[in-house]
Amino acid sequence: MTIKIIGIDLAKNVFELCGLDDSGDIQLRRRVRRETLLRAVAEVPACVIGIEACTGAFYWQRQFEALGHEVRIIAPQHVKPFGRRQKNDRNDAEAIAIAIVQPRMRFVPKKSVAQQDVQTLHRARRRMVNHRTALVSQMRGILLDRGIAFGQSITRARAMIPRIIEDRSNDLTDLCRETLSSLLELMAEIDERVREFDRRIDQVYRESEACRRVGKIRGVGPKTATAVVAAIGDGRDFDNGRHMAAWLGLVPRQHSSGDRTMLMGISKRGDQHLRTLLVHGARAVVRTASGKTDRFSQWVNELRERRGTNRAIVAVANKNARIIWALLAKNEEYRPAT
């Protein structure tokens, strides 16, 4: 029995293995529990192992590579077309094994423990920011229910809510004031947590030479630089900058047929957090480009006048993504256009 490909359907406790030989015939079907998975994989001579991108995928990638195997991580949407019959773990493992040997198949960039640590920082910070936004919305709703309204903004909420609580001329009861005060104290605690995560992200940025190079791009700060480097590493999993921009969902969707080419809005594929950071940075670039005379600002201003602000923002985000790929994949310094 010669096994060249193994597809493994990852799970929490029970894992399904499907092994194929050179001709694509199934030579191995095995169902193992978590505590015996590594022993089962170690019994197979070095081969190519395919797994789906999911929670724990990068951990198992490192474990399998330590046993001498080559590991390829594939996005679940690329596996689905190769599933036959009904969906179950057995058929899923077979679909993974078939999918990874397809020509021109794209795989998920691998991540080290350090990259996952930085992503953990960003995810924790994003969770705190989401909690803070929800908290402000709840306080605004409570006050609106009592006939008190103010504009949507965390900065405005920080300024207005304490004044409203202290203002004895409004119709708020003592119980409502106490409740709002408690929620305001909770928001202050979340603010401090967010600042702590910001300090840690800034430290990662200062200690990483790659992040500092990426951070020199207009519209790319420490948060964007650390998030991108943590996600793509050296960028060499992409053939060129456009492939990376497409992976981030910053290129138009197509709905073309025959001689008719129809380009629509951006595809919004890939990592939403990375795309959001790049777009917000691009928005700042477009907003501050007015009055500047350098080549890049002139291009931004002309594009905004010709195509509108929103398209200009996405175009700048797309360009920044391509520049980031060039800096990382080619190990170059950023040279701004003059």
Side-chain angles (χ1 to χ4, degrees), residues 163-195:
R163 298 177 189 172
I164 294 171
I165 294 173
E166 294 174 1
D167 184 7
R168 291 292 172 174
S169 64
N170 55 43
D171 295 331
L172 295 182
T173 63
D174 290 340
L175 180 58
C176 184
R177 295 179 197 276
E178 292 174 2
T179 302
L180 288 171
S181 297
S182 297
L183 293 176
L184 201 60
E185 292 174 4
L186 178 57
M187 188 176 76
E189 294 177 8
I190 294 176
D191 284 338
E192 181 55 37
R193 295 289 181 90
V194 172
R195 285 191 291 269

PDB file of all heavy atoms in Angstrom, residues 163-195:
ATOM      1  N   ARG A 163     -22.840  64.530  31.456  1.00  0.00           N
ATOM      2  CA  ARG A 163     -23.609  65.758  31.655  1.00  0.00           C
ATOM      3  C   ARG A 163     -25.091  65.451  31.860  1.00  0.00           C
ATOM      4  O   ARG A 163     -25.768  66.064  32.699  1.00  0.00           O
ATOM      5  CB  ARG A 163     -23.447  66.693  30.459  1.00  0.00           C
ATOM      6  CG  ARG A 163     -22.020  67.170  30.221  1.00  0.00           C
ATOM      7  CD  ARG A 163     -21.974  68.028  28.957  1.00  0.00           C
ATOM      8  NE  ARG A 163     -20.597  68.333  28.570  1.00  0.00           N
ATOM      9  CZ  ARG A 163     -20.270  68.935  27.429  1.00  0.00           C
ATOM     10  NH1 ARG A 163     -21.228  69.308  26.586  1.00  0.00           N
ATOM     11  NH2 ARG A 163     -18.999  69.174  27.150  1.00  0.00           N
ATOM     12  N   ILE A 164     -25.595  64.499  31.072  1.00  0.00           N
ATOM     13  CA  ILE A 164     -27.010  64.145  31.186  1.00  0.00           C
ATOM     14  C   ILE A 164     -27.296  63.531  32.554  1.00  0.00           C
ATOM     15  O   ILE A 164     -28.336  63.810  33.172  1.00  0.00           O
ATOM     16  CB  ILE A 164     -27.403  63.174  30.053  1.00  0.00           C
ATOM     17  CG1 ILE A 164     -27.302  63.876  28.687  1.00  0.00           C
ATOM     18  CG2 ILE A 164     -28.804  62.626  30.256  1.00  0.00           C
ATOM     19  CD1 ILE A 164     -27.462  62.954  27.503  1.00  0.00           C
ATOM     20  N   ILE A 165     -26.370  62.694  33.035  1.00  0.00           N
ATOM     21  CA  ILE A 165     -26.563  62.076  34.345  1.00  0.00           C
ATOM     22  C   ILE A 165     -26.566  63.126  35.453  1.00  0.00           C
ATOM     23  O   ILE A 165     -27.368  63.071  36.405  1.00  0.00           O
ATOM     24  CB  ILE A 165     -25.466  61.023  34.611  1.00  0.00           C
ATOM     25  CG1 ILE A 165     -25.604  59.857  33.627  1.00  0.00           C
ATOM     26  CG2 ILE A 165     -25.528  60.511  36.041  1.00  0.00           C
ATOM     27  CD1 ILE A 165     -24.483  58.851  33.702  1.00  0.00           C
ATOM     28  N   GLU A 166     -25.710  64.128  35.337  1.00  0.00           N
ATOM     29  CA  GLU A 166     -25.601  65.161  36.366  1.00  0.00           C
ATOM     30  C   GLU A 166     -26.698  66.218  36.273  1.00  0.00           C
ATOM     31  O   GLU A 166     -26.967  66.929  37.259  1.00  0.00           O
ATOM     32  CB  GLU A 166     -24.234  65.846  36.262  1.00  0.00           C
ATOM     33  CG  GLU A 166     -23.070  64.921  36.586  1.00  0.00           C
ATOM     34  CD  GLU A 166     -21.729  65.589  36.331  1.00  0.00           C
ATOM     35  OE1 GLU A 166     -21.737  66.770  35.925  1.00  0.00           O
ATOM     36  OE2 GLU A 166     -20.688  64.920  36.527  1.00  0.00           O
ATOM     37  N   ASP A 167     -27.338  66.318  35.118  1.00  0.00           N
ATOM     38  CA  ASP A 167     -28.372  67.334  34.917  1.00  0.00           C
ATOM     39  C   ASP A 167     -29.665  66.913  35.629  1.00  0.00           C
ATOM     40  O   ASP A 167     -30.352  65.981  35.206  1.00  0.00           O
ATOM     41  CB  ASP A 167     -28.626  67.513  33.420  1.00  0.00           C
ATOM     42  CG  ASP A 167     -29.627  68.621  33.137  1.00  0.00           C
ATOM     43  OD1 ASP A 167     -30.011  69.328  34.097  1.00  0.00           O
ATOM     44  OD2 ASP A 167     -30.009  68.778  31.970  1.00  0.00           O
ATOM     45  N   ARG A 168     -30.001  67.618  36.708  1.00  0.00           N
ATOM     46  CA  ARG A 168     -31.181  67.267  37.487  1.00  0.00           C
ATOM     47  C   ARG A 168     -32.465  67.856  36.903  1.00  0.00           C
ATOM     48  O   ARG A 168     -33.558  67.598  37.419  1.00  0.00           O
ATOM     49  CB  ARG A 168     -31.012  67.763  38.923  1.00  0.00           C
ATOM     50  CG  ARG A 168     -29.944  67.012  39.708  1.00  0.00           C
ATOM     51  CD  ARG A 168     -30.390  65.591  39.962  1.00  0.00           C
ATOM     52  NE  ARG A 168     -29.320  64.768  40.541  1.00  0.00           N
ATOM     53  CZ  ARG A 168     -29.486  63.523  40.960  1.00  0.00           C
ATOM     54  NH1 ARG A 168     -30.675  62.949  40.834  1.00  0.00           N
ATOM     55  NH2 ARG A 168     -28.465  62.847  41.471  1.00  0.00           N
ATOM     56  N   SER A 169     -32.334  68.622  35.841  1.00  0.00           N
ATOM     57  CA  SER A 169     -33.529  69.217  35.246  1.00  0.00           C
ATOM     58  C   SER A 169     -34.247  68.275  34.283  1.00  0.00           C
ATOM     59  O   SER A 169     -35.370  68.555  33.874  1.00  0.00           O
ATOM     60  CB  SER A 169     -33.163  70.514  34.513  1.00  0.00           C
ATOM     61  OG  SER A 169     -32.288  70.238  33.414  1.00  0.00           O
ATOM     62  N   ASN A 170     -33.601  67.166  33.901  1.00  0.00           N
ATOM     63  CA  ASN A 170     -34.272  66.225  33.001  1.00  0.00           C
ATOM     64  C   ASN A 170     -35.140  65.254  33.809  1.00  0.00           C
ATOM     65  O   ASN A 170     -35.179  65.296  35.041  1.00  0.00           O
ATOM     66  CB  ASN A 170     -33.262  65.477  32.129  1.00  0.00           C
ATOM     67  CG  ASN A 170     -32.195  64.768  32.945  1.00  0.00           C
ATOM     68  OD1 ASN A 170     -32.490  64.141  33.952  1.00  0.00           O
ATOM     69  ND2 ASN A 170     -30.944  64.881  32.518  1.00  0.00           N
ATOM     70  N   ASP A 171     -35.815  64.362  33.099  1.00  0.00           N
ATOM     71  CA  ASP A 171     -36.796  63.471  33.740  1.00  0.00           C
ATOM     72  C   ASP A 171     -36.225  62.123  34.139  1.00  0.00           C
ATOM     73  O   ASP A 171     -36.982  61.183  34.429  1.00  0.00           O
ATOM     74  CB  ASP A 171     -37.985  63.249  32.792  1.00  0.00           C
ATOM     75  CG  ASP A 171     -38.751  64.533  32.534  1.00  0.00           C
ATOM     76  OD1 ASP A 171     -38.752  65.401  33.427  1.00  0.00           O
ATOM     77  OD2 ASP A 171     -39.339  64.661  31.441  1.00  0.00           O
ATOM     78  N   LEU A 172     -34.912  61.959  34.172  1.00  0.00           N
ATOM     79  CA  LEU A 172     -34.324  60.679  34.553  1.00  0.00           C
ATOM     80  C   LEU A 172     -34.536  60.414  36.045  1.00  0.00           C
ATOM     81  O   LEU A 172     -34.374  61.301  36.880  1.00  0.00           O
ATOM     82  CB  LEU A 172     -32.826  60.663  34.246  1.00  0.00           C
ATOM     83  CG  LEU A 172     -32.418  60.760  32.777  1.00  0.00           C
ATOM     84  CD1 LEU A 172     -30.896  60.690  32.655  1.00  0.00           C
ATOM     85  CD2 LEU A 172     -33.058  59.654  31.955  1.00  0.00           C
ATOM     86  N   THR A 173     -34.886  59.172  36.358  1.00  0.00           N
ATOM     87  CA  THR A 173     -35.043  58.785  37.765  1.00  0.00           C
ATOM     88  C   THR A 173     -33.683  58.454  38.362  1.00  0.00           C
ATOM     89  O   THR A 173     -32.686  58.273  37.642  1.00  0.00           O
ATOM     90  CB  THR A 173     -35.956  57.560  37.872  1.00  0.00           C
ATOM     91  OG1 THR A 173     -35.338  56.454  37.193  1.00  0.00           O
ATOM     92  CG2 THR A 173     -37.324  57.846  37.238  1.00  0.00           C
ATOM     93  N   ASP A 174     -33.639  58.357  39.679  1.00  0.00           N
ATOM     94  CA  ASP A 174     -32.377  58.026  40.346  1.00  0.00           C
ATOM     95  C   ASP A 174     -31.893  56.639  39.938  1.00  0.00           C
ATOM     96  O   ASP A 174     -30.688  56.419  39.755  1.00  0.00           O
ATOM     97  CB  ASP A 174     -32.559  58.086  41.869  1.00  0.00           C
ATOM     98  CG  ASP A 174     -32.746  59.514  42.360  1.00  0.00           C
ATOM     99  OD1 ASP A 174     -32.360  60.442  41.618  1.00  0.00           O
ATOM    100  OD2 ASP A 174     -33.277  59.697  43.472  1.00  0.00           O
ATOM    101  N   LEU A 175     -32.822  55.684  39.781  1.00  0.00           N
ATOM    102  CA  LEU A 175     -32.427  54.334  39.380  1.00  0.00           C
ATOM    103  C   LEU A 175     -31.819  54.334  37.983  1.00  0.00           C
ATOM    104  O   LEU A 175     -30.814  53.657  37.717  1.00  0.00           O
ATOM    105  CB  LEU A 175     -33.644  53.407  39.425  1.00  0.00           C
ATOM    106  CG  LEU A 175     -33.394  51.941  39.031  1.00  0.00           C
ATOM    107  CD1 LEU A 175     -32.334  51.318  39.931  1.00  0.00           C
ATOM    108  CD2 LEU A 175     -34.690  51.138  39.082  1.00  0.00           C
ATOM    109  N   CYS A 176     -32.399  55.122  37.074  1.00  0.00           N
ATOM    110  CA  CYS A 176     -31.873  55.206  35.711  1.00  0.00           C
ATOM    111  C   CYS A 176     -30.495  55.857  35.715  1.00  0.00           C
ATOM    112  O   CYS A 176     -29.593  55.417  34.993  1.00  0.00           O
ATOM    113  CB  CYS A 176     -32.843  55.990  34.828  1.00  0.00           C
ATOM    114  SG  CYS A 176     -32.357  56.070  33.094  1.00  0.00           S
ATOM    115  N   ARG A 177     -30.309  56.898  36.535  1.00  0.00           N
ATOM    116  CA  ARG A 177     -28.998  57.545  36.617  1.00  0.00           C
ATOM    117  C   ARG A 177     -27.935  56.584  37.144  1.00  0.00           C
ATOM    118  O   ARG A 177     -26.806  56.542  36.637  1.00  0.00           O
ATOM    119  CB  ARG A 177     -29.080  58.779  37.516  1.00  0.00           C
ATOM    120  CG  ARG A 177     -29.973  59.886  36.989  1.00  0.00           C
ATOM    121  CD  ARG A 177     -30.020  61.060  37.957  1.00  0.00           C
ATOM    122  NE  ARG A 177     -31.148  61.934  37.677  1.00  0.00           N
ATOM    123  CZ  ARG A 177     -31.125  62.894  36.754  1.00  0.00           C
ATOM    124  NH1 ARG A 177     -30.033  63.094  36.049  1.00  0.00           N
ATOM    125  NH2 ARG A 177     -32.195  63.646  36.556  1.00  0.00           N
ATOM    126  N   GLU A 178     -28.301  55.781  38.152  1.00  0.00           N
ATOM    127  CA  GLU A 178     -27.349  54.809  38.704  1.00  0.00           C
ATOM    128  C   GLU A 178     -26.986  53.750  37.663  1.00  0.00           C
ATOM    129  O   GLU A 178     -25.821  53.350  37.552  1.00  0.00           O
ATOM    130  CB  GLU A 178     -27.949  54.154  39.934  1.00  0.00           C
ATOM    131  CG  GLU A 178     -28.114  55.095  41.123  1.00  0.00           C
ATOM    132  CD  GLU A 178     -28.848  54.432  42.269  1.00  0.00           C
ATOM    133  OE1 GLU A 178     -29.185  53.235  42.147  1.00  0.00           O
ATOM    134  OE2 GLU A 178     -29.098  55.110  43.288  1.00  0.00           O
ATOM    135  N   THR A 179     -27.989  53.320  36.909  1.00  0.00           N
ATOM    136  CA  THR A 179     -27.724  52.313  35.873  1.00  0.00           C
ATOM    137  C   THR A 179     -26.798  52.870  34.798  1.00  0.00           C
ATOM    138  O   THR A 179     -25.831  52.211  34.379  1.00  0.00           O
ATOM    139  CB  THR A 179     -29.050  51.858  35.236  1.00  0.00           C
ATOM    140  OG1 THR A 179     -29.913  51.340  36.248  1.00  0.00           O
ATOM    141  CG2 THR A 179     -28.787  50.784  34.182  1.00  0.00           C
ATOM    142  N   LEU A 180     -27.064  54.074  34.334  1.00  0.00           N
ATOM    143  CA  LEU A 180     -26.214  54.690  33.324  1.00  0.00           C
ATOM    144  C   LEU A 180     -24.806  54.929  33.856  1.00  0.00           C
ATOM    145  O   LEU A 180     -23.824  54.770  33.115  1.00  0.00           O
ATOM    146  CB  LEU A 180     -26.836  56.010  32.850  1.00  0.00           C
ATOM    147  CG  LEU A 180     -28.085  55.901  31.966  1.00  0.00           C
ATOM    148  CD1 LEU A 180     -28.708  57.271  31.756  1.00  0.00           C
ATOM    149  CD2 LEU A 180     -27.751  55.256  30.629  1.00  0.00           C
ATOM    150  N   SER A 181     -24.689  55.291  35.125  1.00  0.00           N
ATOM    151  CA  SER A 181     -23.365  55.488  35.716  1.00  0.00           C
ATOM    152  C   SER A 181     -22.572  54.188  35.727  1.00  0.00           C
ATOM    153  O   SER A 181     -21.363  54.176  35.439  1.00  0.00           O
ATOM    154  CB  SER A 181     -23.502  56.034  37.135  1.00  0.00           C
ATOM    155  OG  SER A 181     -24.116  57.311  37.134  1.00  0.00           O
ATOM    156  N   SER A 182     -23.240  53.077  36.049  1.00  0.00           N
ATOM    157  CA  SER A 182     -22.557  51.779  36.038  1.00  0.00           C
ATOM    158  C   SER A 182     -22.099  51.409  34.634  1.00  0.00           C
ATOM    159  O   SER A 182     -20.979  50.916  34.441  1.00  0.00           O
ATOM    160  CB  SER A 182     -23.499  50.700  36.587  1.00  0.00           C
ATOM    161  OG  SER A 182     -23.843  50.965  37.936  1.00  0.00           O
ATOM    162  N   LEU A 183     -22.963  51.653  33.650  1.00  0.00           N
ATOM    163  CA  LEU A 183     -22.581  51.361  32.267  1.00  0.00           C
ATOM    164  C   LEU A 183     -21.443  52.265  31.813  1.00  0.00           C
ATOM    165  O   LEU A 183     -20.553  51.836  31.067  1.00  0.00           O
ATOM    166  CB  LEU A 183     -23.790  51.543  31.340  1.00  0.00           C
ATOM    167  CG  LEU A 183     -24.941  50.550  31.530  1.00  0.00           C
ATOM    168  CD1 LEU A 183     -26.114  50.897  30.615  1.00  0.00           C
ATOM    169  CD2 LEU A 183     -24.483  49.123  31.287  1.00  0.00           C
ATOM    170  N   LEU A 184     -21.440  53.517  32.269  1.00  0.00           N
ATOM    171  CA  LEU A 184     -20.368  54.441  31.917  1.00  0.00           C
ATOM    172  C   LEU A 184     -19.038  53.994  32.523  1.00  0.00           C
ATOM    173  O   LEU A 184     -17.984  54.090  31.885  1.00  0.00           O
ATOM    174  CB  LEU A 184     -20.724  55.846  32.395  1.00  0.00           C
ATOM    175  CG  LEU A 184     -20.008  57.020  31.720  1.00  0.00           C
ATOM    176  CD1 LEU A 184     -20.297  57.034  30.220  1.00  0.00           C
ATOM    177  CD2 LEU A 184     -20.446  58.337  32.349  1.00  0.00           C
ATOM    178  N   GLU A 185     -19.077  53.483  33.763  1.00  0.00           N
ATOM    179  CA  GLU A 185     -17.866  52.951  34.387  1.00  0.00           C
ATOM    180  C   GLU A 185     -17.348  51.725  33.628  1.00  0.00           C
ATOM    181  O   GLU A 185     -16.132  51.562  33.448  1.00  0.00           O
ATOM    182  CB  GLU A 185     -18.150  52.579  35.845  1.00  0.00           C
ATOM    183  CG  GLU A 185     -18.418  53.779  36.745  1.00  0.00           C
ATOM    184  CD  GLU A 185     -18.825  53.355  38.145  1.00  0.00           C
ATOM    185  OE1 GLU A 185     -18.823  52.121  38.407  1.00  0.00           O
ATOM    186  OE2 GLU A 185     -19.135  54.230  38.968  1.00  0.00           O
ATOM    187  N   LEU A 186     -18.276  50.890  33.172  1.00  0.00           N
ATOM    188  CA  LEU A 186     -17.874  49.720  32.381  1.00  0.00           C
ATOM    189  C   LEU A 186     -17.216  50.149  31.080  1.00  0.00           C
ATOM    190  O   LEU A 186     -16.214  49.560  30.644  1.00  0.00           O
ATOM    191  CB  LEU A 186     -19.087  48.838  32.110  1.00  0.00           C
ATOM    192  CG  LEU A 186     -18.846  47.582  31.256  1.00  0.00           C
ATOM    193  CD1 LEU A 186     -17.781  46.692  31.887  1.00  0.00           C
ATOM    194  CD2 LEU A 186     -20.142  46.813  31.057  1.00  0.00           C
ATOM    195  N   MET A 187     -17.743  51.196  30.440  1.00  0.00           N
ATOM    196  CA  MET A 187     -17.146  51.694  29.206  1.00  0.00           C
ATOM    197  C   MET A 187     -15.736  52.216  29.457  1.00  0.00           C
ATOM    198  O   MET A 187     -14.834  52.031  28.637  1.00  0.00           O
ATOM    199  CB  MET A 187     -18.016  52.783  28.584  1.00  0.00           C
ATOM    200  CG  MET A 187     -17.539  53.207  27.189  1.00  0.00           C
ATOM    201  SD  MET A 187     -18.626  54.406  26.381  1.00  0.00           S
ATOM    202  CE  MET A 187     -18.170  55.896  27.264  1.00  0.00           C
ATOM    203  N   ALA A 188     -15.523  52.873  30.609  1.00  0.00           N
ATOM    204  CA  ALA A 188     -14.184  53.357  30.944  1.00  0.00           C
ATOM    205  C   ALA A 188     -13.213  52.191  31.124  1.00  0.00           C
ATOM    206  O   ALA A 188     -12.043  52.268  30.720  1.00  0.00           O
ATOM    207  CB  ALA A 188     -14.243  54.205  32.212  1.00  0.00           C
ATOM    208  N   GLU A 189     -13.685  51.098  31.729  1.00  0.00           N
ATOM    209  CA  GLU A 189     -12.841  49.909  31.883  1.00  0.00           C
ATOM    210  C   GLU A 189     -12.488  49.317  30.518  1.00  0.00           C
ATOM    211  O   GLU A 189     -11.345  48.901  30.280  1.00  0.00           O
ATOM    212  CB  GLU A 189     -13.560  48.874  32.743  1.00  0.00           C
ATOM    213  CG  GLU A 189     -13.767  49.300  34.190  1.00  0.00           C
ATOM    214  CD  GLU A 189     -14.554  48.273  34.978  1.00  0.00           C
ATOM    215  OE1 GLU A 189     -14.793  47.164  34.423  1.00  0.00           O
ATOM    216  OE2 GLU A 189     -14.938  48.563  36.128  1.00  0.00           O
ATOM    217  N   ILE A 190     -13.464  49.267  29.616  1.00  0.00           N
ATOM    218  CA  ILE A 190     -13.196  48.745  28.274  1.00  0.00           C
ATOM    219  C   ILE A 190     -12.213  49.645  27.547  1.00  0.00           C
ATOM    220  O   ILE A 190     -11.314  49.163  26.830  1.00  0.00           O
ATOM    221  CB  ILE A 190     -14.513  48.600  27.487  1.00  0.00           C
ATOM    222  CG1 ILE A 190     -15.392  47.530  28.128  1.00  0.00           C
ATOM    223  CG2 ILE A 190     -14.228  48.249  26.030  1.00  0.00           C
ATOM    224  CD1 ILE A 190     -16.754  47.383  27.478  1.00  0.00           C
ATOM    225  N   ASP A 191     -12.355  50.962  27.712  1.00  0.00           N
ATOM    226  CA  ASP A 191     -11.406  51.906  27.098  1.00  0.00           C
ATOM    227  C   ASP A 191      -9.978  51.598  27.543  1.00  0.00           C
ATOM    228  O   ASP A 191      -9.046  51.633  26.729  1.00  0.00           O
ATOM    229  CB  ASP A 191     -11.765  53.342  27.475  1.00  0.00           C
ATOM    230  CG  ASP A 191     -12.965  53.862  26.699  1.00  0.00           C
ATOM    231  OD1 ASP A 191     -13.255  53.311  25.622  1.00  0.00           O
ATOM    232  OD2 ASP A 191     -13.610  54.820  27.172  1.00  0.00           O
ATOM    233  N   GLU A 192      -9.809  51.308  28.816  1.00  0.00           N
ATOM    234  CA  GLU A 192      -8.473  51.004  29.326  1.00  0.00           C
ATOM    235  C   GLU A 192      -7.952  49.692  28.735  1.00  0.00           C
ATOM    236  O   GLU A 192      -6.765  49.576  28.402  1.00  0.00           O
ATOM    237  CB  GLU A 192      -8.509  50.921  30.851  1.00  0.00           C
ATOM    238  CG  GLU A 192      -7.154  50.619  31.489  1.00  0.00           C
ATOM    239  CD  GLU A 192      -6.067  51.601  31.082  1.00  0.00           C
ATOM    240  OE1 GLU A 192      -6.380  52.806  30.943  1.00  0.00           O
ATOM    241  OE2 GLU A 192      -4.912  51.169  30.888  1.00  0.00           O
ATOM    242  N   ARG A 193      -8.824  48.698  28.587  1.00  0.00           N
ATOM    243  CA  ARG A 193      -8.417  47.433  27.958  1.00  0.00           C
ATOM    244  C   ARG A 193      -7.996  47.666  26.515  1.00  0.00           C
ATOM    245  O   ARG A 193      -7.005  47.087  26.053  1.00  0.00           O
ATOM    246  CB  ARG A 193      -9.567  46.428  28.012  1.00  0.00           C
ATOM    247  CG  ARG A 193      -9.961  46.000  29.417  1.00  0.00           C
ATOM    248  CD  ARG A 193      -8.904  45.117  30.062  1.00  0.00           C
ATOM    249  NE  ARG A 193      -9.299  44.703  31.385  1.00  0.00           N
ATOM    250  CZ  ARG A 193      -9.994  43.606  31.657  1.00  0.00           C
ATOM    251  NH1 ARG A 193     -10.383  42.809  30.664  1.00  0.00           N
ATOM    252  NH2 ARG A 193     -10.296  43.288  32.899  1.00  0.00           N
ATOM    253  N   VAL A 194      -8.749  48.489  25.796  1.00  0.00           N
ATOM    254  CA  VAL A 194      -8.406  48.783  24.401  1.00  0.00           C
ATOM    255  C   VAL A 194      -7.055  49.473  24.319  1.00  0.00           C
ATOM    256  O   VAL A 194      -6.221  49.156  23.465  1.00  0.00           O
ATOM    257  CB  VAL A 194      -9.501  49.647  23.742  1.00  0.00           C
ATOM    258  CG1 VAL A 194      -9.054  50.124  22.356  1.00  0.00           C
ATOM    259  CG2 VAL A 194     -10.803  48.863  23.624  1.00  0.00           C
ATOM    260  N   ARG A 195      -6.812  50.441  25.224  1.00  0.00           N
ATOM    261  CA  ARG A 195      -5.514  51.130  25.238  1.00  0.00           C
ATOM    262  C   ARG A 195      -4.379  50.162  25.540  1.00  0.00           C
ATOM    263  O   ARG A 195      -3.285  50.277  24.971  1.00  0.00           O
ATOM    264  CB  ARG A 195      -5.543  52.274  26.254  1.00  0.00           C
ATOM    265  CG  ARG A 195      -6.332  53.487  25.799  1.00  0.00           C
ATOM    266  CD  ARG A 195      -6.095  54.678  26.715  1.00  0.00           C
ATOM    267  NE  ARG A 195      -6.679  54.459  28.026  1.00  0.00           N
ATOM    268  CZ  ARG A 195      -7.920  54.825  28.362  1.00  0.00           C
ATOM    269  NH1 ARG A 195      -8.710  55.404  27.461  1.00  0.00           N
ATOM    270  NH2 ARG A 195      -8.382  54.616  29.573  1.00  0.00           N
TER     271      ARG A 195
END
